[in-house]
Amino acid sequence: MSPGSRSASGLRTPGMSRHGRRFTNWSKVRRNWSRLPQSEMWSGTTAGQPTAPNGSCGTSGTDAGVDWVAGITREILAGEGLDLRLATIYSSQRAADLDLDRIRPLPPAGDLDRATLESCANIVGMMGHEPIAAALTDGADVVLAGRATDTAVAAAYPLLRGMPAGPVWHAAKIVECGGQCTTNPRAGGVLATVDATGFTIEPLDPANACTPTSVAAHMLYETVDPFTMREPAGTIEVGDAVYRALDERRVRVEGSRFEPAAQHTIKLEGARITGYETERGAVYEFVLNHVVEVPSPTSLFRVYLEDNR
C-alpha cells in the first residue's frame, strides 16, 4: 500500500483531487513509513532488490502529494543512514497541454469541451506500469509515483523481470487491497507467487486463509465486469481462470490472460469548484472521467531519479 495513498483505484473525493488532500496526516504516514527500514522490505533493497513501488502518493496522486511523501521519505532515509536512490514520478497535467481530439469519455460521462477542461482546479493522469518500470530500470531503489492504477504498482516489477502478463496482472489485481481476498480481511496482507502458468496466493498470517471463493470474489471489487478489467496497456481477462485450493489456506490460479490494446490510453481525473458551504468551504465535483490516447505509455509522466550516491 502506498504511503499516504488510497489503496483502491478509485473513490477519491473531488476535494482530494482539487487540493491533493489526503486520507491520512503527516504524523501517521511518518510513523508507519518509518517502520519499513527495519523490515525485510527495505533491508532487501540494500541487498540490491528494489522496495515495492508506491503509487497515488498523498491519496490523489497530484504532484504535491508526491512531494509530500518524498519529503517524509528523505527524512527517514537520512535518519536511518540508508543510501537508497529515490525516484519520483509526476502525473499532474496542464489543461493547455491536452489535445481534445484525442480525449474520449468513459460512461456515463459526456463529450468534453475546452471550457470544462480548463475549469478543473487539478488534473491527473492515471499511469500504468511503464513509468514505474522505467524508474526501476534506471536504478531506483524506492519509487514514489503520482496517480497510478493499483494493479500497475504491483505489476511493474514482475513484468520487468519477464513474468507472463496474464498471471502478473491478475495477481496484481487480487493483492491490491491486501487481506481483502482472505477469509479475515483485517488479519493482514497476502503473498502472491507468480510463475510461468499462473500464481499462488496465501495470507501472511498463518491463522488466516485464502479460498477459491475469497480470491475470485475480489474481481468484483471496483470493476464493471468481474471477468475483465481495463488497464492503460490492455485488458485483464479472467473468464477462463481456474481457482483451486492447494490446502486450507493457499489458492492456485491459472488461465488468466492479458490482451494488449491497439491504442494505449491514460485515464484523466479532474475536479472543479461548484459552490461553497459555510462549514466545509469549497464544494467540488468530478468533471473528468475520460481517457486520452497517448503516443507512448510514458509521454504524460515525468520521472526523476535522485543521484545521491
Side-chain angles (χ1 to χ4, degrees):
M1 185 174 180
S2 311
S5 78
R6 166 73 168 89
S7 181
S9 296
L11 300 182
R12 287 161 177 78
T13 68
M16 289 174 183
S17 291
R18 162 61 181 92
H19 286 299
R21 291 174 179 168
R22 301 168 288 272
F23 277 113
T24 51
N25 60 38
W26 184 92
S27 61
K28 291 181 180 179
V29 173
R30 175 67 172 77
R31 180 193 63 200
N32 292 339
W33 199 219
S34 64
R35 295 173 180 170
L36 294 178
Q38 287 79 37
S39 72
E40 293 183 4
M41 178 177 172
W42 283 41
S43 63
T45 303
T46 59
Q49 297 293 327
T51 186
N54 301 277
S56 300
C57 287
T59 306
S60 59
T62 61
D63 291 357
V66 173
D67 288 337
W68 182 72
V69 177
I72 296 173
T73 304
R74 293 188 190 99
E75 179 182 306
I76 294 171
L77 294 179
E80 296 290 333
L82 292 174
D83 184 21
L84 303 179
R85 299 188 77 182
L86 174 66
T88 50
I89 308 176
Y90 295 97
S91 60
S92 290
Q93 309 295 317
R94 295 197 318 158
D97 295 335
L98 297 172
D99 183 355
L100 278 178
D101 293 335
R102 302 186 70 85
I103 297 175
R104 54 183 173 82
L106 294 173
D111 291 335
L112 185 66
D113 56 47
R114 178 59 60 180
T116 300
L117 188 63
E118 294 181 350
S119 72
C120 291
N122 210 338
I123 301 172
V124 292
M126 186 185 294
M127 72 183 77
H129 75 283
E130 295 89 351
I132 299 170
L136 294 172
T137 300
D138 288 342
D141 297 312
V142 180
V143 179
L144 302 177
R147 189 70 174 100
T149 72
D150 290 352
T151 36
V153 173
Y157 188 62
L159 288 173
L160 192 60
R161 295 297 299 268
M163 301 307 296
V168 167
W169 282 109
H170 192 184
K173 168 59 182 172
I174 300 303
V175 305
E176 67 175 358
C177 290
Q180 196 71 29
C181 65
T182 71
T183 57
N184 183 7
R186 296 186 177 184
V190 291
L191 171 67
T193 304
V194 182
D195 55 44
T197 60
F199 66 95
T200 300
I201 188 164
E202 61 185 296
L204 298 179
D205 185 343
N208 199 6
C210 288
T211 69
T213 298
S214 69
V215 173
H218 196 67
M219 285 301 300
L220 293 166
Y221 181 70
E222 291 187 341
T223 58
V224 175
D225 184 334
F227 300 112
T228 65
M229 181 173 168
R230 186 70 162 87
E231 289 290 322
T235 302
I236 305 168
E237 299 278 357
V238 304
D240 295 329
V242 176
Y243 303 79
R244 178 169 55 92
L246 295 180
D247 52 35
E248 294 181 351
R249 56 189 308 276
R250 296 184 302 148
V251 171
R252 176 71 180 172
V253 183
E254 296 181 346
S256 314
R257 306 191 322 275
F258 186 79
E259 299 294 338
Q263 171 64 59
H264 199 101
T265 57
I266 297 296
K267 184 184 178 186
L268 300 174
E269 296 177 340
R272 67 183 177 188
I273 296 176
T274 58
Y276 297 87
E277 292 183 355
T278 302
E279 294 183 359
R280 297 177 56 194
V283 177
Y284 304 90
E285 67 168 343
F286 279 127
V287 293
L288 284 186
N289 186 36
H290 299 68
V291 294
V292 57
E293 298 177 353
V294 292
S296 76
T298 59
S299 58
L300 293 185
F301 308 102
R302 288 88 63 205
V303 181
Y304 297 94
L305 183 64
E306 296 185 2
D307 190 6
N308 57 356
R309 291 183 173 176

